[in-house]
Amino acid sequence: MHSVDYLMNKIQDAFPEGEFLGVPIELYEPIEYTLSQGGKRLRPLLVLLSCDMFGGNPDVAMNPAIGVEIFHNFTLLHDDIMDQAPLRRGAQTVYKKWDSNVAILSGDTMFVMAYEYVCRVTPAKLPSVLATFNDTARKVCEGQQYDMNFETQQQVNLDDYFMMIQLKTAVLIACCVKVGAIMAGASAQDAENIYKFGENLGMAFQLQDDLLDAFGDTSKFGKEIGGDIVTNKKTFLYLKAFELANGETLEELTHLFHQQQIDPNHKILRIKEIYQSLGIDIITQEIIEDYHKKAIDYLNLISVEEASKRGLRKLANEMIHREV
Amino acid sequence: MHSVDYLMNKIQDAFPEGEFLGVPIELYEPIEYTLSQGGKRLRPLLVLLSCDMFGGNPDVAMNPAIGVEIFHNFTLLHDDIMDQAPLRRGAQTVYKKWDSNVAILSGDTMFVMAYEYVCRVTPAKLPSVLATFNDTARKVCEGQQYDMNFETQQQVNLDDYFMMIQLKTAVLIACCVKVGAIMAGASAQDAENIYKFGENLGMAFQLQDDLLDAFGDTSKFGKEIGGDIVTNKKTFLYLKAFELANGETLEELTHLFHQQQIDPNHKILRIKEIYQSLGIDIITQEIIEDYHKKAIDYLNLISVEEASKRGLRKLANEMIHREV
C-alpha cells in the first residue's frame, strides 16, 4: 500500500511543465496552460488509490489516470465556453484568454489526448477500460446538456437534478475508481462495488460543491462566495428552497431571483438567510452524509483487507468535508 | 469481392432514420439531423472497400466504418462554428439552425459515439485500430489549427499548404483504408502501402475540391461556385496564383482580394480569368494527376490479385474526376 501523498506526488510528476506543448503552438499552448494550472488532481488520484487498494502497481494505472484528468479538463474548457465563464481556478478561462474557436479546437485535441492516454494500457485491459471510459464520456455530455436545459426551464424537480449531477459529475468519479480496479485485475463484483462507491461519492462531492458556493469560507474556497446565487443557478440549494418555501418567503425568494436590478451582495446575503431559515444548509449536509454513507457501504463490501481501504476512505472523507 | 454499389448500400443501411436519436433530445436531435443528411459517405466506403480487397468480410469493418463517418461529421460540426458557415450540404449548419453551444456539445457527443463504434472490433484488432484512429484524430485537429492560422497569415507558402491539407484531409482518407486493411488481417507492409495510397488520394481529393470550388459546374457541384474566392480562402489556386503573378496581374489580384467593397460576381469572374491566364487550372489538374498516380503506384505494390483492386481503383478514379 502507498500513502495518498506518495501517489499524489507521482501524479504531480506526470504533469511536468511543458509536457503538453507541441506544434502548431497555437493549438498546444492553451492545452499546456490548462493542464499546468493544477486543480486538485482528485480524479487521477482516485484511479491510483483504487488500483493500489486492489493490490495493483499504481504505475500501471498512471496512463489512464492522466487520461481521465485530461478528459475532465477538456470538459471544463468546453463548459466554460457554453457558460461564458471568465475565470477558472483564479485564472482566465481559455475561452476568455484566447477566444471560443481556440477553446473549441484545443478542447477537441485534449479529448483525443485523453483517449491516447486511456489507450496506453495492456491489450488485455483495453476493452474493459475503454468500455468504461466511453460510457462515462457519453454520460458527461448528456449531463452537461441537462444542466443547460435547466437554465431555461421554469421548473426543475429534484429527481431531475440528481440525475443531472449523476451524469455530469458522479459517473466520472465512478469511472476513475473502476478503471483503477480494472488495472489491478479486481473481480467484476469488486469493480461494480467500487463503481457504486465512486458514484455515491461523486453525488456527495457535487452537493458539497453546491453548499460551499453559498456557505464556504471565501478565504479558503478560492473563489467568490455566492456565484451560483448571483447567476440564479439551479443548484440543490435553490431547488430545495423553492420546494420548501411558501407565503412571504416564497414571494421574496422569487423576487430576489427574478429581479434584474439588485445589488449582488444584498442578494447573496438575503438568500443565504432564507436558505438558513428554511434549514437548507442542514438538509444539504444531511444528504451529503447520506451519499457518503452509501459510498462507504459499498467500500465495505469490497473483498480486500481493511487496511488497504484506508487511503480511499481518507480521501472520500476529505472530499466531502473539504472547505475548498 | 463485392461491388462498390453493394457496399454503399450496406453503408446506407447502417444509417437508418432515427438511429442516432436519444435523450436528452436537445443533444441527440442535432446529431440525427447531421448524420441523416447523408453526404457522399466516401470514408466508410473506403473502409469497406479496403477490407474487401484484402479478402476480409466487410461486415467486420462496418463498425469502424460508421465510426470514421461520425468522426468526419463531428469535425464538420465544429469547423462550421469556427468558420461561421451557414450552410452545409444545402442545409443549415447545426451552429446556425440551433446555436454554437448546441454544436459544441452535440459535436463532443458525436466524437464519443465515433470512438464507441471504432471500439466495436474484436479485441485482437482493437489496439492497432485505435492507434491509427487516435493518430488521425490528433492530426485532423492540428490541420484545422493550421487552416485557421493561414487565415490571418499574410504569406503562406505552398509547402505549408500541402502539410495542412495532408493533416486536415488526407490522413483521414489514409486512416479509412488502413483500418479496412487491419480488419481484414492484412500484413504490416500492405497496411502501410494502403495508408500511403489513401494519403496521396486524399491530397488529390482536397485539391480537386479547391479546383471545383472555382471551376466546377454550379448545377452539378451542389453549392455556389466561387465560395473560396469570395471569402479570400487561401486555397492551392489562390497561393499558386500569387506565386506566379507579377506586374499588373499581381496588382489586380491583390486589389481584388483586398478590396472590401467589390461585387462578388465580378470578383469571382475576374479572378477565374486571372487563374486561367496564369494556367492555374491546368497546373492544379496536373498536381491532382500526380497525386493520383502516386496513390495508384502504392496500390500496385499491394500483394493481392489485380481483380481485387478493381473497386478501390474505380473509386479513386471517381473521387478525383468527380464534378461534385
Side-chain angles (χ1 to χ4, degrees):
Chain A
M1 291 304 112
H2 299 91
S3 73
V4 173
D5 287 350
Y6 172 84
L7 295 174
M8 186 51 107
N9 279 333
K10 267 195 173 290
I11 290 162
Q12 300 299 359
D13 290 348
F15 291 86
E17 209 185 306
E19 178 72 5
F20 303 98
L21 287 175
V23 286
I25 186 71
E26 294 83 358
L27 186 65
Y28 289 103
E29 206 179 10
I31 297 174
E32 171 70 18
Y33 172 80
T34 303
L35 293 175
S36 66
Q37 272 171 356
K40 292 188 277 289
R41 307 279 193 224
L42 266 179
R43 290 158 190 83
L45 184 59
L46 285 163
V47 177
L48 298 198
L49 271 172
S50 173
C51 180
D52 194 55
M53 178 184 76
F54 286 110
N57 178 347
D59 288 338
V60 305
M62 185 54 92
N63 283 323
I66 298 170
V68 293
E69 179 68 5
I70 295 174
F71 172 76
H72 172 61
N73 279 276
F74 143 70
T75 63
L76 299 181
L77 219 71
H78 279 192
D79 285 1
D80 286 341
I81 311 171
M82 297 182 238
D83 301 341
Q84 302 188 292
L87 290 173
R88 164 84 57 192
R89 295 168 186 151
Q92 276 193 298
T93 54
V94 168
Y95 139 82
K96 200 78 187 173
K97 187 175 164 77
W98 285 273
D99 59 42
S100 58
N101 283 359
V102 168
I104 291 171
L105 194 59
S106 294
D108 291 345
T109 309
M110 286 170 77
F111 201 0
V112 181
M113 290 165 78
Y115 269 103
E116 286 174 341
Y117 277 99
V118 167
C119 288
R120 277 182 213 146
V121 297
T122 51
K125 309 285 190 199
L126 189 56
S128 53
V129 168
L130 273 170
T132 306
F133 186 69
N134 284 338
D135 178 63
T136 302
R138 169 94 79 128
K139 285 176 173 162
V140 170
C141 292
E142 293 173 352
Q144 169 66 5
Q145 182 66 54
Y146 282 116
D147 199 11
M148 292 203 300
N149 288 355
F150 290 175
E151 281 174 32
T152 52
Q153 257 173 251
Q154 276 279 325
Q155 296 252 334
V156 175
N157 69 51
L158 280 170
D159 283 348
D160 286 344
Y161 179 77
F162 285 122
M163 175 194 65
M164 184 276 283
I165 64 170
Q166 183 181 21
L167 292 168
K168 187 170 169 173
T169 304
V171 293
L172 183 56
I173 304 288
C175 168
C176 290
V177 285
K178 186 170 177 183
V179 165
I182 294 167
M183 293 313 296
S187 72
Q189 184 62 58
D190 277 343
E192 182 57 24
N193 281 328
I194 197 73
Y195 186 88
K196 289 285 184 190
F197 160 81
E199 214 172 21
N200 283 287
L201 179 62
M203 296 297 284
F205 181 71
Q206 181 56 52
L207 290 166
Q208 176 73 4
D209 218 54
D210 287 8
L211 187 63
L212 282 175
D213 187 84
F215 294 102
D217 181 333
T218 315
S219 66
K220 292 176 185 165
F221 193 46
K223 55 180 173 182
E224 281 307 304
I225 292 299
D228 289 345
I229 293 173
V230 173
T231 58
N232 300 350
K233 186 145 177 72
K234 297 193 181 80
T235 64
F236 175 76
L237 283 69
Y238 173 106
L239 298 171
K240 193 71 190 173
F242 272 98
E243 189 186 278
L244 295 183
N246 51 37
E248 278 179 24
T249 311
L250 180 61
E251 231 169 80
E252 190 184 355
L253 210 51
T254 307
H255 173 79
L256 285 165
F257 274 119
H258 290 89
Q259 178 76 10
Q260 297 288 326
Q261 273 88 20
I262 201 162
D263 172 53
N265 288 324
H266 168 71
K267 180 176 174 182
I268 293 168
L269 197 74
R270 190 62 200 121
I271 283 181
K272 282 173 68 175
E273 283 171 0
I274 297 177
Y275 282 172
Q276 283 175 308
S277 75
L278 295 166
I280 301 295
D281 50 338
I282 310 289
I283 295 169
T284 311
Q285 197 59 58
E286 281 168 1
I287 297 183
I288 292 168
E289 296 297 341
D290 281 352
Y291 276 115
H292 183 216
K293 191 185 167 309
K294 272 187 215 158
I296 296 301
D297 287 346
Y298 280 108
L299 188 64
N300 289 338
L301 290 175
I302 285 164
S303 64
V304 301
E305 59 182 58
E306 183 46 39
S308 306
K309 297 177 184 173
R310 213 173 293 149
L312 269 185
R313 211 179 275 278
K314 180 166 173 271
L315 184 66
N317 201 46
E318 284 170 6
M319 277 171 71
I320 65 139
H321 294 115
R322 71 203 155 100
E323 292 179 309
V324 292
Chain B
M1 289 307 111
H2 299 90
S3 73
V4 173
D5 288 350
Y6 172 84
L7 295 174
M8 186 51 106
N9 279 334
K10 268 194 173 289
I11 291 163
Q12 300 299 359
D13 290 347
F15 291 86
E17 209 185 305
E19 178 72 5
F20 303 99
L21 287 175
V23 286
I25 186 70
E26 295 82 358
L27 185 65
Y28 288 102
E29 206 179 11
I31 297 174
E32 170 70 18
Y33 172 80
T34 302
L35 292 175
S36 66
Q37 273 172 355
K40 291 188 279 287
R41 309 277 193 223
L42 267 178
R43 290 158 191 83
L45 184 59
L46 285 164
V47 177
L48 298 197
L49 271 172
S50 173
C51 180
D52 194 55
M53 178 184 76
F54 285 110
N57 179 348
D59 288 339
V60 305
M62 185 54 93
N63 283 323
I66 298 169
V68 294
E69 180 68 5
I70 296 174
F71 172 76
H72 172 60
N73 279 276
F74 143 70
T75 65
L76 300 181
L77 218 72
H78 279 192
D79 286 2
D80 286 341
I81 311 171
M82 296 183 240
D83 301 341
Q84 301 188 291
L87 290 172
R88 162 88 55 195
R89 295 168 186 150
Q92 276 194 299
T93 54
V94 169
Y95 138 82
K96 201 77 188 173
K97 189 175 165 76
W98 286 272
D99 59 40
S100 57
N101 282 1
V102 168
I104 291 171
L105 194 59
S106 294
D108 291 345
T109 309
M110 286 170 78
F111 200 1
V112 180
M113 290 165 79
Y115 269 102
E116 286 174 340
Y117 277 100
V118 167
C119 288
R120 276 183 214 146
V121 296
T122 51
K125 309 284 190 200
L126 189 56
S128 53
V129 168
L130 273 170
T132 306
F133 186 69
N134 284 339
D135 179 61
T136 302
R138 167 93 78 128
K139 284 176 173 161
V140 170
C141 292
E142 292 173 352
Q144 169 67 5
Q145 182 66 54
Y146 281 117
D147 199 10
M148 292 204 299
N149 288 355
F150 290 175
E151 281 175 30
T152 51
Q153 258 172 250
Q154 274 280 324
Q155 297 252 334
V156 175
N157 70 52
L158 280 170
D159 284 348
D160 286 345
Y161 179 77
F162 285 122
M163 175 194 65
M164 184 277 283
I165 64 170
Q166 184 181 20
L167 292 168
K168 187 170 168 173
T169 304
V171 294
L172 184 56
I173 304 289
C175 168
C176 290
V177 285
K178 186 171 176 182
V179 165
I182 293 168
M183 293 315 295
S187 72
Q189 183 63 57
D190 277 344
E192 181 57 23
N193 281 328
I194 198 72
Y195 185 89
K196 290 285 183 188
F197 160 81
E199 213 172 24
N200 283 287
L201 178 62
M203 297 296 284
F205 181 72
Q206 181 56 52
L207 290 165
Q208 177 73 4
D209 217 55
D210 288 8
L211 187 63
L212 283 174
D213 187 85
F215 295 103
D217 181 332
T218 314
S219 67
K220 293 176 184 165
F221 193 45
K223 54 180 173 182
E224 282 305 305
I225 292 299
D228 290 344
I229 293 173
V230 173
T231 58
N232 299 350
K233 184 141 177 76
K234 297 193 182 80
T235 65
F236 175 76
L237 284 68
Y238 173 106
L239 297 172
K240 192 71 189 173
F242 273 99
E243 189 187 279
L244 295 182
N246 50 39
E248 278 178 21
T249 312
L250 180 59
E251 231 168 77
E252 191 184 354
L253 210 53
T254 308
H255 173 79
L256 285 165
F257 274 119
H258 289 89
Q259 179 75 10
Q260 297 288 328
Q261 272 86 22
I262 202 163
D263 172 54
N265 290 323
H266 168 71
K267 181 176 174 183
I268 293 168
L269 197 75
R270 190 60 200 122
I271 283 180
K272 283 173 68 173
E273 284 172 359
I274 297 177
Y275 283 172
Q276 283 174 308
S277 74
L278 293 166
I280 302 294
D281 50 339
I282 311 290
I283 294 168
T284 310
Q285 199 58 58
E286 282 168 0
I287 297 183
I288 292 168
E289 295 297 342
D290 281 352
Y291 276 114
H292 183 215
K293 190 184 168 310
K294 271 187 216 160
I296 297 301
D297 287 346
Y298 281 107
L299 189 64
N300 289 337
L301 290 175
I302 285 164
S303 62
V304 301
E305 60 182 55
E306 183 46 38
S308 307
K309 298 177 184 173
R310 214 175 290 150
L312 270 184
R313 210 180 277 279
K314 179 167 174 269
L315 184 66
N317 201 45
E318 285 171 6
M319 277 171 69
I320 65 140
H321 294 115
R322 70 201 155 101
E323 292 180 310
V324 293

